Amino acid sequence: MQNKIILFSNIKGGVGKTTLCSLFASYLAENGIPVIAIDADLQASLFRHRQRETDADPDVQAPWNVELLNTSDGNNVASVLEKLREVPGVVLIDCPGNLNDRNLEIIYKAADGAVIPMSFDADTVDATGIFIKAFKTISKAQLVFIPNRINPAEKRADELHQRASTIEFLGLVGTVVPQVKQCVAVKRYTTLYSMDSKQRDAVENAFNKIMETLDIKK
């Protein structure tokens, strides 16, 4: 299968970057697509989540691997990405939620696509705009925006207008996929077990659109 390096990134915290990265890895694996996840975040949330699950149930075979990437050494980052480019499948990289790490530039340049989780509150929209501007000066990767943790009860005219305006703007620089509604099932993600029906229902439309946009096929 053709190699793809896809980032999950934004500079705004709390948008569900790690959660969606993990769920997308599971979704790809369950659809027969080879996938590996790289945790490049200093907090190592994805890697630690896998460790907790394997410690609790060491006999379960992981459906996809999680590896840590130390971004403090630029030469090491470049070397690892060169090797990842040879992986026959999809490489997902959970990036730090900031732009302070100078070696992120190496990761950004290597990416084929960047999935950017976001919500429609003013702070997140502003932060996403800052991220887009910085990212596009470095990388030619396709941008995919995934509205996440969206409350379907928010239907005031001003809220709907703001959403529509944001989607229109983001559509000028990338692809906006169907939203992922706020729900407990998505928050309770797992890196070790199969997705349940509620998780799949919540993310399927968005994930299928990501796969279509970034040309991810078996």
Side-chain angles (χ1 to χ4, degrees):
M1 178 186 165
Q2 184 183 4
N3 176 271
K4 295 275 186 182
I5 294 179
I6 299 171
L7 314 182
F8 277 72
S9 192
N10 202 335
I11 60 172
K12 181 69 172 65
V15 292
K17 177 173 56 66
T18 299
T19 300
L20 290 176
C21 181
S22 175
L23 287 168
F24 191 55
S26 295
Y27 190 78
L28 293 179
E30 290 175 21
N31 280 279
I33 298 171
V35 59
I36 182 174
I38 306 298
D39 193 337
D41 195 337
L42 183 63
Q43 298 180 66
S45 298
L46 184 60
F47 185 80
R48 290 187 292 105
H49 195 114
R50 167 59 63 81
Q51 281 189 316
R52 288 193 298 270
E53 289 188 310
T54 52
D55 287 346
D57 202 345
D59 295 327
V60 175
Q61 183 176 357
W64 41 275
N65 289 335
V66 183
E67 303 290 344
L68 274 177
L69 174 58
N70 182 354
T71 60
S72 64
D73 183 341
N75 290 330
N76 176 63
V77 173
S79 175
V80 169
L81 283 166
E82 188 175 342
K83 293 175 183 176
L84 290 174
R85 181 54 77 187
E86 302 303 316
V87 171
V90 177
V91 177
L92 304 179
I93 302 181
D94 187 19
C95 291
N98 61 68
L99 293 172
N100 298 327
D101 189 337
R102 61 184 179 182
N103 293 322
L104 278 175
E105 181 175 343
I106 302 170
I107 299 175
Y108 290 169
K109 284 182 176 179
D112 299 299
V115 178
I116 305 171
M118 57 165 296
S119 57
F120 292 111
D121 64 278
D123 286 341
T124 302
V125 171
D126 288 347
T128 301
I130 293 169
F131 174 75
I132 293 168
K133 185 179 293 185
F135 187 86
K136 286 182 69 65
T137 63
I138 299 170
S139 178
K140 295 182 180 179
Q142 286 182 271
L143 302 183
V144 180
F145 303 96
I146 177 167
N148 186 38
R149 298 177 177 172
I150 305 303
N151 185 351
E154 294 177 350
K155 294 182 178 180
R156 293 202 323 256
D158 59 328
E159 293 170 334
L160 295 176
H161 176 73
Q162 195 241 11
R163 288 187 189 185
S165 299
T166 301
I167 290 171
E168 182 179 7
F169 165 73
L170 295 176
L172 298 176
V173 293
T175 300
V176 183
V177 304
Q179 67 184 28
V180 176
K181 295 179 181 179
Q182 187 176 48
C183 64
V184 174
V186 171
K187 288 184 178 180
R188 292 177 177 167
Y189 75 96
T190 173
T191 72
L192 201 57
Y193 309 104
S194 298
M195 298 172 66
D196 63 35
S197 59
K198 290 183 178 179
Q199 288 173 331
R200 180 173 286 274
D201 288 346
V203 301
E204 191 166 28
N205 289 338
F207 285 179
N208 284 342
K209 186 62 178 180
I210 292 173
M211 292 172 64
E212 176 188 334
T213 303
L214 299 180
D215 194 28
I216 300 174
K217 301 174 182 176
K218 295 182 182 180

